[in-house]
Amino acid sequence: MLEGLEGLYQDALAALQKAKSTSEVEQLRVRYLGRNGELTLLVRSLREVPPEERPRVGARLNAVKEALEAEIRTALERVRADEERQALERDRVDVTVPGRRRALGALHPVTQTIEEIVDIFVALGFEVATGPDIEDDYHNFTALNFPPDHPARDMQDTFFVDESYLLRTHTSPVQIRVMESRKPPLRIVVPGATYRHDDDLTHSPMFHQIEGFLVDERVSMADLKGVLTYAMRELFGPETRLRFRASFFPFTEPSAEVDIGCLICGGQGSQCRVCKGSGWLEILGAGMIDPNVFAAVGYDAEKVSGFAFGLGVERVAMLKYQIADIRTFTTNDLRFLRQFV
Ligand code: FA5
């Protein structure tokens, strides 16, 4: 038995020295010291050894078992250290390699302009509302007091989806949607895309507007002038001058078109190409909400009044950044877009 034991010990030592991984060492541990391991079986067969030899054999068995356990621990430490070294080698990071630059995107200049304008009104206590791009005739025209034969309803201005639906031509239908579902007082701004059959240097088939309206008791044209003057000065600078010109919209009475003093020539006019010599640039439409609009949403025009305005976002961005052609916003030329990062 002792011979077998010595042979087993030598084999185990040789095998442990060759082991290259923790799993190989673990397999050897099971093979020799597991519940049915070779050494365990020898220990179990000690009772078959004649009693007089048992102490000597037993002592040797114990010694070999302890030695083997120690060898296994040593082998484990060795292969673990090897494995760790290999893992470090494999995952080594060369910090001197130049980094790969990530192409970071940025907000589109039209989006930046929308955010800037909306922030000005939010600071004044306005809430943001939105509505659908695909509208029905009622909200886009009828409830806004457009007569049935108004030219804006014409196929040449409006993109119709089918008999009942169209791509909204302005953000004003959201006035109706908000007033239909809520009661005054209201202070609302509505940023959104709008669509018209238009295409030239200053007109795009898809463009953006920001609608604003305020409904309460005793709202006057002076409130409209005050709010717009403040907002435009925040947007274009404290020296900005505003001019209100009488105009017409079916949904406001009285109505005004609002010009700002030309930013390019400082209102001097004469040779200026941007304001075409007038010293003024048109920037938005506005007015006092027409009583017929209040009637359409069930408000009592004797009790409430309100103002509304609609601003062309691309037009504002063109003035602010002195852009000559509205189409540069949608041609995705990175040389143009990178100027707004
Ligand atoms: C309106 O759309 C009215 N809904 C504005 C309004 C709201 C008036 C509330 C009163 C009360 P208008 O058609 O003028 O009005 O358009 C408003 C602005 O949108 C214009 O001043 C212009 O800046 C911009 N705009 C109009 N058509 C285009 C276009 N095709 N491309 C780019 N901007 C446009």
Side-chain angles (χ1 to χ4, degrees):
M1 173 164 192
L2 280 181
E3 276 155 37
L5 179 61
E6 298 309 328
L8 178 150
Y9 182 48
Q10 293 308 324
D11 288 351
L13 286 186
L16 275 174
Q17 247 157 31
K18 279 195 221 135
K20 288 204 169 44
S21 67
T22 43
S23 67
E24 277 176 44
V25 175
E26 176 59 16
Q27 276 168 19
L28 289 171
R29 191 193 65 73
V30 173
R31 176 173 160 196
Y32 291 105
L33 297 175
R35 238 155 43 92
N36 292 316
E38 293 178 24
L39 189 62
T40 314
L41 293 180
L42 278 185
V43 173
R44 234 177 262 155
S45 63
L46 186 63
R47 60 180 107 87
E48 289 152 25
V49 173
E52 61 281 11
E53 284 183 32
R54 237 178 254 167
R56 195 167 61 90
V57 175
R60 184 62 194 145
L61 266 173
N62 266 339
V64 169
K65 188 167 175 251
E66 275 168 28
L68 205 51
E69 281 168 350
E71 289 295 338
I72 286 174
R73 275 197 299 277
T74 313
L76 259 185
E77 275 166 31
R78 174 176 56 78
V79 293
R80 275 202 190 120
D82 278 353
E83 282 173 352
E84 199 175 302
R85 208 172 323 113
Q86 282 163 15
L88 284 175
E89 191 64 33
R90 203 174 39 239
D91 301 341
R92 197 169 68 173
V93 176
D94 182 353
V95 291
T96 64
V97 172
R100 236 177 276 152
R101 220 174 256 282
R102 250 173 221 270
L104 267 192
L107 292 179
H108 190 277
V110 168
T111 310
Q112 291 184 28
T113 309
I114 290 175
E115 290 192 352
E116 196 179 344
I117 298 169
V118 166
D119 282 352
I120 292 170
F121 286 100
V122 166
L124 287 173
F126 282 68
E127 288 172 56
V128 178
T130 53
D133 286 23
I134 298 177
E135 252 312 349
D136 50 40
D137 179 275
Y138 177 76
H139 288 90
N140 198 80
F141 293 128
T142 308
L144 286 164
N145 199 33
F146 278 82
D149 54 354
H150 193 283
R153 291 175 181 245
D154 199 296
M155 285 292 264
Q156 285 177 3
D157 287 318
T158 308
F159 292 115
F160 285 90
V161 176
D162 59 25
E163 303 244 309
S164 336
Y165 291 97
L166 45 85
L167 297 181
R168 66 178 174 192
T169 56
H170 51 175
T171 41
S172 302
V174 187
Q175 284 186 38
I176 303 298
R177 291 193 174 273
V178 172
M179 288 195 277
E180 275 173 344
S181 61
R182 294 175 57 176
K183 294 274 162 255
L186 294 172
R187 270 180 266 168
I188 310 282
V189 273
V190 183
T194 46
Y195 308 82
R196 286 182 203 179
H197 201 291
D198 269 346
D199 197 6
D200 62 31
L201 281 184
T202 53
H203 293 81
S204 166
M206 195 273 261
F207 60 103
H208 296 80
Q209 288 189 341
I210 293 182
E211 191 84 5
F213 61 100
L214 184 149
V215 184
D216 204 339
E217 287 168 15
R218 289 189 293 277
V219 179
S220 75
M221 194 86 179
D223 297 314
L224 171 66
K225 286 188 82 168
V227 167
L228 285 180
T229 306
Y230 171 82
M232 293 305 109
R233 286 187 176 158
E234 284 289 297
L235 194 57
F236 290 108
E239 306 301 327
T240 307
R241 289 176 307 133
L242 254 61
R243 181 172 78 170
F244 287 68
R245 266 184 300 110
S247 182
F248 174 79
F249 296 102
F251 37 93
T252 47
E253 182 59 35
S255 303
E257 271 175 334
V258 179
D259 304 332
I260 59 168
C262 180
L263 301 164
I264 311 300
C265 65
Q268 296 306 305
S270 64
Q271 306 293 317
C272 181
R273 277 168 52 230
V274 176
C275 65
K276 300 194 180 72
S278 73
W280 296 95
L281 294 159
E282 185 201 316
I283 186 125
L284 57 89
M288 300 306 292
I289 297 175
D290 194 287
N292 288 341
V293 173
F294 285 143
V297 296
Y299 285 8
D300 183 350
E302 298 293 321
K303 291 210 179 97
V304 293
S305 53
F307 67 68
F309 59 87
L311 190 110
V313 177
E314 281 80 357
R315 190 67 59 82
V316 168
M318 287 171 82
L319 289 177
K320 220 171 141 60
Y321 302 115
Q322 299 175 19
I323 296 162
D325 184 345
I326 196 168
R327 289 169 288 207
T328 43
F329 288 122
T330 44
T331 41
N332 284 337
D333 185 336
L334 287 178
R335 290 168 304 175
F336 170 73
L337 294 172
R338 285 207 177 103
Q339 299 176 79
F340 301 94
V341 171

